[in-house]
């Protein structure tokens, strides 16, 4: 299936546990990013990557790590989960460029994480 | 920091009516705006975009209007259908430096009654 694939769709963790949210895209997009979505709020950027080997922090990076070893994959790691990280996480990708529609992010279906 | 916001968190309309969803942005450097639709349990889906050198853009049943003077944009949906029920987000960015970094508004819940 073409697009952005996220796994798992649902996950429950205990405080202090670690886990990795997986994200893969098959559109050969250079740019990938992770957002979190909390009730009553828009999506907030956690980390982003402009290409393999290059990552940077977004608006809310604390408690999360990322790496980009390949163009296709952009995993998000929670090192020590906290209840404040209970959220829905979205991975997105796009290609660079300034033509119309180039900034249109393609989103995955989301991963719902609950930290107890 | 600067952000994008929405005036109305909820909007209820009757099937067949036209819907207007509003969005205010505060970053005067923003030059590219996107509307997304998010259905329950799904990721946001692109609806329509507009650049700051335009004040209106039309798609299929949707129109986006941009007023840079008052930093406001709106999404108009013609002949609203039950399938249009969703949360609608506006997002803004500075096109040349965004690297896929969008700033989203909080969202408006659109409910269409048959």
């Amino acid at each position: 299936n073409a697009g952005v694939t996220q796994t798992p769709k649902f996950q429950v963790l205990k405080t202090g546990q670690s886990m990795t949210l997986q994200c893969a895209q098959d559109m050969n997009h250079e740019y990938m990013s992770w957002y979190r979505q909390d009730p009553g709020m828009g999506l907030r950027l956690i980390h982003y990557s402009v290409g393999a080997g290059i990552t940077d922090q977004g608006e809310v990076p604390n408690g999360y790590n990322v790496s980009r070893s390949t163009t296709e994959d952009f995993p998000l790691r929670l090192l020590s989960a906290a209840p404040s990280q209970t959220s829905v996480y979205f991975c997105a990708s796009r290609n660079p460029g300034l033509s119309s529609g180039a900034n249109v992010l393609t989103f995955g279906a989301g991963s719902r994480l609950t930290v107890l | 920091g600067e952000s994008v916001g929405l005036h109305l968190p909820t909007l209820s309309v009757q099937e067949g009516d036209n819907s207007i969803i509003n969005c205010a942005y505060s970053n005067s450097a923003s030059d590219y705006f996107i509307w997304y639709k998010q259905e329950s349990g799904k990721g946001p889906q692109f609806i329509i975009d507009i650049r700051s050198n335009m004040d209106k853009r039309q798609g299929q049943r949707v129109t986006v209007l941009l007023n840079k003077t008052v930093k406001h944009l709106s999404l108009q949906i013609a002949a609203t259908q039950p399938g249009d029920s969703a949360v609608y987000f506006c997002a803004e960015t500075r096109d040349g430096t965004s690297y896929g970094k969008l700033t989203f508004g909080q969202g408006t819940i659109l409910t269409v009654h048959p």
Side-chain angles (χ1 to χ4, degrees), chain B residues 27-49:
Chain B
N27 188 346
S28 58
S30 297
D31 57 10
Y32 184 70
F33 305 89
I34 307 171
W35 280 100
Y36 282 92
K37 172 187 180 183
Q38 186 177 25
E39 296 174 286
S40 181
K42 298 183 179 179
Q45 294 177 290
F46 170 81
I47 301 173
I48 193 168
D49 58 354

Side-chain angles (χ1 to χ4, degrees), chain A residues 34 46-48 55-56 64-68 74-77:
Chain A
W34 276 101
I46 304 172
H47 284 286
Y48 66 99
T55 64
D56 206 346
Y64 307 95
N65 275 358
V66 292
S67 60
R68 185 95 179 271
F74 190 44
L76 179 72
R77 298 183 184 86

